[in-house]
Amino acid sequence: MSPALTNFLFEAANFLVLAAVLGWLLFKPVRRALDAEQARHAQETEAARHLREEAEVLAREARAEREAAGREREARRREMLASARNEALQAAEASKRAQVAERQRMEKELQDWRDASASELVDTVGRIAAESVRRLLSAFDGPALDLALVRAACAELDSVPVEARGAALVESARPLDARSRTLLEEALGGGVHERVVGELGAGVRVTTPAGQVDATAVAVARQAARSVNRVRDAHGVSLEGGDA
């Protein structure tokens, strides 16, 4: 073996031994430092994770407390509103009861006054109504009474639609005189369809498709009797001596 090759191999062996010694002396502390740094980083990461979890727990608890407080405030608000509504309803009901009681008291006082004077009042009204009818019927005689009732019927015919007047039927106790016929023709807007009905007493009864206008002596007497009867029935008092 040549001296150069021997020298090369010796230097190479020396280099390998030196590299192994340097690696054992230098790289091992570096690895320990790297492992320590990695462990520290892991500990910090774990601590940060714990802190984050604790913060999330605290945040959830704070949010739950806020929600609970909000629900409690809303419940108190609704309770206060319900209490206020109940108090308002009770006050309104009490006021209504007081008004009803006052109205009933006033109505009772008025009814007591009416009952106290009902007999005298009704009897007087009955006599006046009966006497008024007798005087009205006795003030007119024959044609004069017929003409007065015809005029009353013509006045009432103003409320009947014009288109319904042409088909009207005129009934009277006796044949119409010229004046009465003229008034009825003017009110009806045409000729008169006449029929004699003796039991009507006096006046005329006009029947149209829109209704009937009864201005006869029978109707006047019937109306007077109904008025007296309504007063009597309203007060429950017998009208003795009230000849209608």
Side-chain angles (χ1 to χ4, degrees), residues 19 62-63 70 94 140 174 177 200 209:
R63 186 167 54 251
F140 299 96
R174 46 187 162 275
D177 58 20
L200 295 179

Side-chain angles (χ1 to χ4, degrees), residues 71-87:
R71 288 193 297 269
E72 184 177 358
R73 286 194 302 271
E74 181 64 18
R76 285 199 302 268
R77 186 182 68 84
R78 291 180 179 178
E79 183 178 357
M80 292 174 64
L81 288 176
S83 177
R85 280 196 296 268
N86 290 334
E87 291 177 359

Side-chain angles (χ1 to χ4, degrees), residues 6-212:
T6 301
N7 186 38
F8 172 78
L9 293 175
F10 179 77
E11 288 179 358
N14 288 335
F15 176 77
L16 291 175
V17 171
L18 180 61
V21 172
L22 290 175
W24 183 80
L25 293 176
L26 297 177
F27 292 157
K28 188 174 181 180
V30 171
R31 280 198 301 272
R32 283 198 301 268
L34 291 174
D35 291 339
E37 182 64 20
Q38 184 176 4
R40 185 183 63 79
H41 181 70
Q43 289 177 354
E44 291 178 353
T45 301
E46 183 67 17
R49 185 179 64 81
H50 283 301
L51 290 174
R52 187 169 57 253
E53 290 177 354
E54 291 177 359
E56 290 175 355
V57 171
L58 292 175
R60 285 195 298 270
E61 291 178 353
R63 186 167 54 251
E65 290 177 357
R66 287 195 303 270
E67 292 175 353
R71 288 193 297 269
E72 184 177 358
R73 286 194 302 271
E74 181 64 18
R76 285 199 302 268
R77 186 182 68 84
R78 291 180 179 178
E79 183 178 357
M80 292 174 64
L81 288 176
S83 177
R85 280 196 296 268
N86 290 334
E87 291 177 359
L89 289 175
Q90 290 176 0
E93 186 65 23
S95 177
K96 183 178 179 181
R97 286 195 299 268
Q99 292 177 359
V100 170
E102 180 64 16
R103 184 170 62 250
Q104 290 176 347
R105 184 187 65 80
M106 295 177 65
E107 290 175 351
K108 184 176 183 305
E109 290 179 356
L110 179 59
Q111 188 61 40
D112 291 342
W113 177 82
R114 286 176 176 174
D115 292 341
S117 59
S119 179
E120 181 182 356
L121 176 62
V122 173
D123 192 45
T124 302
V125 170
R127 286 195 300 271
I128 292 174
E131 185 63 23
S132 297
V133 172
R134 282 196 296 268
R135 288 182 180 180
L136 175 63
L137 295 179
S138 63
F140 299 96
D141 185 16
L145 178 57
D146 286 330
L147 184 59
L149 293 174
V150 167
R151 291 181 185 276
C154 292
E156 291 189 35
L157 283 172
D158 289 340
S159 62
V160 177
V162 176
E163 60 273 12
R165 300 178 191 178
L169 172 63
V170 178
E171 298 172 311
S172 60
R174 46 187 162 275
L176 296 172
D177 58 20
R179 180 57 178 162
S180 296
R181 184 175 288 104
T182 300
L183 290 173
L184 287 169
E185 288 176 351
E186 292 176 354
L188 295 173
V192 176
H193 303 283
E194 183 181 352
R195 187 172 69 182
V196 177
V197 181
E199 59 267 21
L200 295 179
V204 291
R205 181 170 61 196
V206 183
T207 304
T208 71
Q212 189 178 78

